[in-house]
Amino acid sequence: MSDTLYLVLDQGGQASRALVFNDYGESLAQARVEQKTDIDTTAPDPKLIVDALRRAVTCALQQLSPSQRKLPMRAALISQRSACLCWDRITGQPLTPVISWQDNSGQSIIDQLYHHFKEIQRISGLVPNGHSPASKWSYLLNSNALIEAQRHYQMACGPLASFLIFHLCREHPFLVDRVNASRTMLYSLEARNWSNPLCALFDVPPEYLPDIRPSHYRYGTLEIAGSRIPLKLVCGDQPAALFSNGWPNPSMLSVNMGTGAFVQMPLLVEAQERPLTRLLISPAYSDLNDELLVLEGTINGAATALNLTSLPLGLNYQNSDTWRQRYQPLPLFVNGVGGLGSPDWCPLESGWQGVPPFDAKSKVLAVAESILFLIQRNINAMRDVGSFPGSINLSGGLSQLDWMAQGLANLSGLNVHRMNNPESSARGAAWLLSRSRNWRQCEETVFPPASASALNARYQSWTQLLHAALIISGARR
């Protein structure tokens, strides 16, 4: 058994967290500092996020026993890939707030580049969309405020991970990993570096961007709570979840339902052989020898959509397992919260179909059901390009609702293996640090598919409703 511990810094959409794991995958300590960043709240001050992570780490380390604190420790940092900002490269002073991954302010830039869509996707593996940092930086750098700032500061544009690396490491490196870099829409999948043609297209100078390194790399030294801990891994939070039980099974589809929902499946081809699709293709992990590409679908309005619906009604959607059988039939909900993600990639106004007035609880259930429908829409898009999952690995906060886990199994026709440990992303990062042979599989609950003709009929009706809404939305734009 190794005597090394693994500290994971997890910067999510609602909190800054720190967790410590051993070689068996057991969590020895964890701490959480709330940092709300939903789409309807003010964008957070980047310095407050750095402070929140430091406090979370300090609290987690204090939970360790005296003997555990003497053990060697390595650290990993995981964060939301499309969250980004601008700052001064010399002092680290933020010049913008953190711009959430759900922010769609770059859509006007994307619309102007319509004739370059094929080139953008060919190089980056991403379908052009306004959630990408490239479009947000392009918009910001041409604003009056940042035009003036570029005269007085040494501009840095980077994913949130890069800003956190700079501030948390005593060496103040200007670096980012390939996984976070790939989400900017300025990264070349084949070159594994910044793409000069894409930087020119979005008018983002390459010298503003951090140097790119593999996920597993010596990024610097964390100096927190009197300890110096090498930061040896940086990755995105969603890709890290793939590795919670070790290297992912190539036929396993991973679905993580949190603030958003993310559908990922290993893509066992070289970058130049990837299929043409309206889904995203990006690295989930890389080191000097290995790189895993994934086919990925995104649903922007998952827990965010449920919160926007349930909180004004004074309801807690976590109790919806007890409502399910009493509120039928449900209305249908077109879920455009945060913009429609893959495979459509467009703004869309949310709407209802059914016989009003709608009961408050039935509305919450309909929003939750729309998340399942959007996931199934992405599974169908994967099948269209020849990726056929054999089963589903389900994680995230919403996965703890039994009826949603069973509904996903019924709709997809696949066994759903729900992880009973909600810390899938942090566990995955810890495993990537340790590669331990002693790593214990997370306990899971299996939901086999059952006959669900009514649910499938509702999915078909919802699909028709969505198509009609897309036609109307397209006519208005």
Side-chain angles (χ1 to χ4, degrees), residues 152-227:
H152 300 285
Y153 299 98
Q154 187 166 336
M155 185 66 63
C157 298
L160 175 59
S162 182
F163 180 83
L164 296 176
I165 293 168
F166 181 93
H167 280 274
L168 293 170
C169 291
R170 63 194 300 265
E171 299 89 346
H172 300 303
F174 188 43
L175 300 172
V176 74
D177 65 295
R178 291 174 184 161
V179 174
N180 279 289
S182 71
R183 206 55 158 211
T184 63
M185 209 173 283
L186 298 175
Y187 177 86
S188 167
L189 279 182
E190 293 187 28
R192 298 185 183 180
N193 209 335
W194 301 120
S195 163
N196 287 328
L198 291 182
C199 288
L201 197 59
F202 283 96
D203 198 21
V204 178
E207 60 268 24
Y208 288 5
L209 301 171
D211 291 337
I212 298 176
R213 297 291 185 266
S215 308
H216 204 284
Y217 179 79
R218 179 65 153 79
Y219 282 86
T221 309
L222 301 178
E223 200 166 38
I224 301 177
S227 300

Side-chain angles (χ1 to χ4, degrees), residues 120-419:
I120 294 170
Q121 188 171 9
R122 177 183 62 80
I123 297 172
S124 70
L126 306 183
V127 179
N129 66 89
H131 299 281
S132 66
S135 63
K136 298 169 190 175
W137 290 327
S138 182
Y139 176 81
L140 286 168
L141 292 173
N142 286 286
S143 66
N144 290 334
L146 284 198
I147 288 174
E148 182 64 24
Q150 289 171 74
R151 299 191 183 105
H152 300 285
Y153 299 98
Q154 187 166 336
M155 185 66 63
C157 298
L160 175 59
S162 182
F163 180 83
L164 296 176
I165 293 168
F166 181 93
H167 280 274
L168 293 170
C169 291
R170 63 194 300 265
E171 299 89 346
H172 300 303
F174 188 43
L175 300 172
V176 74
D177 65 295
R178 291 174 184 161
V179 174
N180 279 289
S182 71
R183 206 55 158 211
T184 63
M185 209 173 283
L186 298 175
Y187 177 86
S188 167
L189 279 182
E190 293 187 28
R192 298 185 183 180
N193 209 335
W194 301 120
S195 163
N196 287 328
L198 291 182
C199 288
L201 197 59
F202 283 96
D203 198 21
V204 178
E207 60 268 24
Y208 288 5
L209 301 171
D211 291 337
I212 298 176
R213 297 291 185 266
S215 308
H216 204 284
Y217 179 79
R218 179 65 153 79
Y219 282 86
T221 309
L222 301 178
E223 200 166 38
I224 301 177
S227 300
R228 288 186 175 181
I229 305 167
L231 179 61
K232 299 291 292 288
L233 180 85
V234 179
C235 194
D237 54 1
Q238 296 300 328
L242 285 169
F243 302 91
S244 182
N245 282 328
W247 198 264
N249 184 323
S251 66
M252 176 76 79
L253 180 76
S254 172
V255 177
N256 193 302
M257 297 194 299
T259 304
F262 298 85
V263 184
Q264 301 176 91
M265 188 169 178
L267 188 62
L268 304 181
V269 298
E270 297 296 325
Q272 63 271 21
E273 300 170 344
R274 62 190 186 274
L276 292 175
T277 175
R278 295 285 292 172
L279 300 170
L280 307 178
I281 297 174
S282 56
Y285 170 78
S286 71
D287 59 26
L288 294 178
N289 301 311
D290 297 322
E291 180 167 84
L292 177 66
L293 293 180
V294 293
L295 192 62
E296 181 175 352
T298 68
I299 293 93
N300 295 328
T304 301
L306 280 168
N307 283 327
L308 289 173
T309 305
S310 61
L311 293 179
L313 298 172
L315 296 172
N316 183 351
Y317 64 79
Q318 298 290 352
N319 299 325
S320 60
D321 269 322
T322 62
W323 309 339
R324 181 64 182 165
Q325 299 305 319
R326 290 183 291 171
Y327 291 89
Q328 297 288 345
L330 302 175
L332 292 172
F333 179 65
V334 174
N335 186 344
V337 175
L340 201 60
S342 59
D344 303 287
W345 301 109
C346 65
L348 185 69
E349 186 176 344
S350 298
W352 301 89
Q353 184 185 70
V355 180
F358 304 129
D359 179 88
K361 291 180 179 178
S362 72
K363 292 181 73 172
V364 175
L365 290 169
V367 172
E369 191 178 64
S370 76
I371 299 166
L372 298 182
F373 291 162
L374 287 167
I375 291 172
Q376 183 60 36
R377 185 168 169 79
N378 279 275
I379 293 174
N380 290 342
M382 290 185 172
R383 289 169 173 161
D384 287 343
V385 294
S387 290
F388 296 94
S391 58
I392 294 175
N393 190 4
L394 182 63
S395 60
L398 296 184
S399 71
Q400 300 308 304
L401 295 172
D402 287 350
W403 78 266
M404 289 193 73
Q406 186 63 59
L408 182 58
N410 296 348
L411 199 57
S412 66
L414 300 171
N415 282 334
V416 169
H417 300 253
R418 182 181 68 191
M419 297 182 61

Side-chain angles (χ1 to χ4, degrees), residues 1-8 18-30 60-61 64-65 67-69 71-75 243-244 246 421 423 426-441:
M1 175 183 173
S2 167
D3 60 356
T4 302
L5 299 183
Y6 307 98
L7 168 68
V8 179
L19 303 93
V20 180
F21 295 87
N22 63 15
D23 258 327
Y24 291 103
E26 298 169 330
S27 176
L28 304 179
Q30 56 181 290
L61 294 181
L64 299 175
S65 68
S67 60
Q68 288 171 333
R69 292 179 202 172
L71 295 175
M73 189 175 295
R74 301 176 194 164
F243 302 91
S244 182
N421 187 326
E423 304 297 346
R427 271 178 55 90
W431 180 82
L432 285 169
L433 273 177
S434 72
R435 299 296 183 102
S436 170
R437 295 181 179 179
N438 298 317
W439 199 262
R440 292 171 180 165
Q441 298 288 296

